[in-house]
Amino acid sequence: MQFLLAFIVVGPLVGAVAALLPAPPGLKGKSPGQAVLRHGVTVTGAILLAAIVLALGFDRDHPSKMQATTDIKWIPTLNVRIHLGIDGISLPLLVLTALLTFLCALYSYFKMPSGPSPKAFVALLLVLESGTFATFAVLDLLLFFLAFEMVLIPMYFLIARWGGDQRQAAAWKFILYTLLGSVVMLLGLLLIGLKTGTFDMVALASDNGRGMTTSVQVIAVLAIGIGLAVKTPMWPLHSWLPDAHTAAPTVGSVLLAGVLLKMGTYGFVRIVLPIAPDGMHRFAPYLAAFAVAGIIYGSLACLALAKRGNKGDLKRLIAYSSVGHMGFVLLGIASMTPTGVNGALFANIAHGLITGLLFFLVGALKDRYGTADLDTLSGATGAALYGRAPRLGGLLAFAAVASLGLPGLAGFWGEMLSMFGAFDPADGLSRPAFLTFVAIAAVGTLLTAAYLLVVVRRVCMGTPSAQPQEPRLVDVQGYEVASWSPLVALTVLAGLWPAVLLGLTDPAVHKLLAGGKS
């Protein structure tokens, strides 16, 4: 177990270096480009297999205990250690990262985005995977910061070099926003380490803030929270996200929505809640207020983009929907209750599965039509996907109803539990204020259903055009079935059997909120 976790974190880095080397004789295939893309599939597949074995070997009877741990001295003068470990909170995110990266590598093997050398593309994809794994596995604050920053450069280049229109501006906006937020976050992390004498996250969680005064905790939560809120993204620090998603290649959007956004909310749960509970208690109502503002803002922005004549980009619409969905995650965290935090963690995974599938589908639509513009897609009578490409239309409708929180699918449980947690928040938090937040969030669920159903009606329904110039539309192909089927299956599985996730997260969440006591 210890070796497996270290292999999962470091393996993609070794694979990234190997991707830049010439392909060995006999493995070149039809071209060097095909060989390196096959290398990406092989490496990410091996990492996914290791993650599955790690999950199967995980002690589900004690999910609150850190398992597969490695603890090695690194910088003794600063008391910084290479400390790795997983519990019921980080394991699902680790497996989700491995799955989505493998599916992106598989999809790219058949549909490589236009741009420079495939070698650089595969290497950046693997570095991004390694940094994400490290973020979810490290148990030292400074290592967490380094891993948190490690993913920025590869994502910047994936957008800037393999993206679409306005990719340079979108990439710069992404890197500037996240770097500025991270600088502030580093100051908060250093403040905690200097005041407590340790950067070890397990020891700090067990101390539960007793080594810091309330004023220090407030300053630390404010600084760390800004950096995490930018990455989440929380309204009004979200404006980099729609541009980044619109310009990014399909696999870049899948990883950005499915994995990178989770790093911010994971930081709130792993660092802010257990390490500075008094500071979090002071900011919880404000966090909840920003969360529900994001829910309403994201939904209204999506409704505006979905309206006929507004030239709304479908990728941009799904990006704004992420602002709303992550608002539910933040609302659950702000409740500071086991129910709310469990709902937030469940919503994290559900959003990664469903929105990852949505970006795959929109990328496929854009490849077929040459655009993601809703007015162009819908035309006079609708793109009529049900008639022209029934499997593609059915999958888009499935992903849309999953995203709006249909009971029986994964999106339902996270939003419901987050609102349940906010309905009865932690002691000391204003219940009338949180009841107001729940009411606003409930309105957001109705708006979410409205814009997603408008999208389905405009894109999937209608009468196929009989015009001879109408291009032939290819339905779902074999490699797309292979890339999308796991996301569909897991969305249904998590919706019908939520205990698969909640059984892992619930004991770990109770332990975190109880100050390290099971």
Side-chain angles (χ1 to χ4, degrees):
M1 292 281 284
Q2 186 181 20
F3 168 78
L4 273 177
L5 183 58
F7 171 72
I8 288 169
V9 173
V10 178
L13 283 180
V14 178
V17 174
L20 299 174
L21 301 175
L27 296 178
K28 291 184 179 181
K30 296 179 182 178
S31 68
Q34 186 192 51
V36 75
L37 290 171
R38 189 190 300 122
H39 169 79
V41 175
T42 303
V43 173
T44 56
I47 297 298
L48 174 60
L49 181 62
I52 293 172
V53 173
L54 183 68
L56 292 175
F58 186 81
D59 184 0
R60 294 183 62 91
D61 293 330
H62 301 91
S64 62
K65 177 185 176 183
M66 283 295 170
Q67 302 181 34
T69 56
T70 298
D71 193 359
I72 303 170
K73 288 183 179 180
W74 186 38
I75 309 176
T77 54
L78 295 177
N79 198 22
V80 177
R81 310 176 70 84
I82 299 177
H83 193 181
L84 305 177
I86 53 167
D87 62 358
I89 293 172
S90 51
L91 178 63
L93 291 166
L94 207 74
V95 176
L96 176 68
T97 301
L99 174 65
L100 285 177
T101 311
F102 169 71
L103 296 180
C104 286
L106 180 64
Y107 187 85
S108 300
Y109 179 76
F110 295 95
K111 194 69 178 179
M112 171 71 190
S114 59
S117 163
K119 282 191 172 188
F121 176 83
V122 171
L124 290 169
L125 195 69
L126 293 173
V127 172
L128 179 68
E129 182 181 37
S130 179
T132 311
F133 283 144
T135 303
F136 297 139
V138 297
L139 297 173
D140 183 277
L141 289 179
L142 289 186
L143 280 182
F144 175 86
F145 174 78
L146 293 176
F148 199 82
E149 296 303 287
M150 181 178 169
V151 303
L152 300 184
I153 300 303
M155 182 53 71
Y156 166 82
F157 281 110
L158 286 175
I159 296 172
R161 304 301 299 276
W162 287 271
D165 296 337
Q166 306 296 319
R167 58 182 183 268
Q168 293 290 345
W172 273 110
K173 197 171 185 179
F174 162 76
I175 199 77
L176 288 175
Y177 263 74
T178 48
L179 277 178
L180 288 173
S182 298
V183 168
V184 182
M185 183 178 74
L186 177 60
L187 296 176
L189 297 175
L190 291 174
L191 177 63
I192 290 175
L194 292 173
K195 290 295 182 180
T196 60
T198 182
F199 291 101
D200 187 87
M201 292 157 67
V202 176
L204 289 166
S206 298
D207 189 59
N208 204 219
R210 287 182 289 271
M212 295 180 285
T213 63
T214 300
S215 59
V216 170
Q217 290 190 39
V218 167
I219 296 171
V221 169
L222 178 61
I224 297 170
I226 289 174
L228 297 175
V230 170
K231 186 67 73 74
T232 297
M234 181 186 77
W235 179 90
L237 303 174
H238 69 284
S239 60
W240 62 270
L241 184 70
D243 292 339
H245 270 309
T246 304
T250 296
V251 294
S253 292
V254 171
L255 292 174
L256 182 58
V259 176
L260 264 68
L261 303 190
K262 312 304 175 284
M263 295 164 62
T265 50
Y266 173 78
F268 275 108
V269 175
R270 177 66 74 194
I271 298 173
V272 179
L273 272 176
I275 294 177
D278 293 339
M280 180 63 184
H281 198 278
R282 297 287 182 92
F283 281 106
Y286 303 102
L287 180 63
F290 283 122
V292 296
I295 292 171
I296 299 299
Y297 173 84
S299 299
L300 292 176
C302 290
L303 277 172
L305 289 169
K307 187 177 179 181
R308 188 179 299 276
N310 280 2
K311 292 291 182 182
D313 187 282
L314 194 49
K315 286 188 74 176
R316 195 173 190 87
L317 185 147
I318 297 172
Y320 273 111
S321 78
S322 292
V323 176
H325 288 305
M326 298 311 288
F328 284 100
V329 177
L330 291 173
L331 179 62
I333 294 170
S335 73
M336 298 186 70
T337 62
T339 302
V341 176
N342 274 303
L345 293 171
F346 198 104
N348 255 347
I349 301 299
H351 179 265
L353 296 171
I354 297 167
T355 307
L357 177 61
L358 275 170
F359 275 117
F360 268 134
L361 293 167
V362 174
L365 271 177
K366 190 171 183 179
D367 290 337
R368 286 159 170 78
Y369 281 95
T371 181
D373 179 72
L374 262 174
D375 288 340
T376 305
L377 288 175
S378 60
T381 60
L385 278 181
Y386 289 154
R388 300 184 63 205
R391 289 190 290 275
L392 185 59
L395 280 171
L396 182 62
F398 168 83
V401 297
S403 185
L404 63 83
L406 185 73
L409 298 176
F412 171 74
W413 294 106
E415 294 182 3
M416 185 195 70
L417 290 172
S418 293
M419 289 193 288
F420 271 11
F423 184 80
D424 188 16
D427 294 340
L429 295 177
S430 171
R431 190 158 190 241
F434 273 83
L435 288 176
T436 304
F437 298 146
V438 171
I440 297 172
V443 174
T445 62
L446 299 177
L447 295 175
T448 301
Y451 71 73
L452 285 168
L453 292 176
V454 168
V455 168
V456 171
R457 177 178 60 80
R458 293 191 65 192
V459 176
C460 296
M461 299 181 182
T463 305
S465 172
Q467 299 293 331
Q469 67 270 22
E470 190 74 29
R472 179 176 176 270
L473 197 65
V474 179
D475 209 342
V476 178
Q477 300 181 73
Y479 72 91
E480 294 172 327
V481 172
S483 301
W484 304 341
S485 295
L487 302 179
V488 174
L490 289 172
T491 298
V492 175
L493 176 64
L496 295 177
W497 193 17
V500 172
L501 280 176
L502 295 176
L504 287 172
T505 61
D506 188 52
V509 167
H510 275 87
K511 183 177 180 179
L512 274 183
L513 295 178
K517 302 179 181 65
S518 299

